[in-house]
Amino acid sequence: MDENGTVVPDAYHEIHFEVKGNAELVGQNPISAEAGIATILLRAGDKPGMLLITATNEDLEQSTSQIEIQ
């Protein structure tokens, strides 16, 4: 996104993801953003709890999301 929060459709960045909690990333990491969006596949474990997913790139601000597994 740009400084106004607008998705930049021609943005191309390699985004590295890290997962903390009872889950794992499936497939390639880092992921190439397409149309400003990087999508991951996540395999949740069999225990409930909170997951923290962090996306990083040296040129972009780091972002972390929380997902509750039930």
Side-chain angles (χ1 to χ4, degrees), residues 2-55:
D2 65 14
E3 61 276 357
N4 298 316
T6 303
V7 172
V8 180
D10 60 350
Y12 174 83
H13 295 91
E14 291 286 313
I15 309 298
H16 180 267
F17 290 90
E18 181 180 338
V19 177
K20 291 184 181 177
N22 188 21
E24 64 180 332
L25 290 171
V26 177
Q28 182 180 329
N29 190 24
I31 302 294
S32 297
E34 183 177 327
I37 300 170
T39 303
I40 60 170
L41 182 59
L42 185 70
R43 180 181 296 131
D46 58 356
K47 297 177 184 172
M50 191 65 69
L51 300 179
L52 293 177
I53 303 170
T54 303

Side-chain angles (χ1 to χ4, degrees), residues 50-65:
M50 191 65 69
L51 300 179
L52 293 177
I53 303 170
T54 303
T56 58
N57 173 281
E58 62 186 35
D59 297 325
L60 302 172
E61 183 178 324
Q62 176 178 302
S63 179
T64 300
S65 296

Side-chain angles (χ1 to χ4, degrees), residues 48-51 66-70:
M50 191 65 69
L51 300 179
Q66 293 184 8
I67 298 175
E68 184 177 356
I69 302 299
Q70 299 182 351

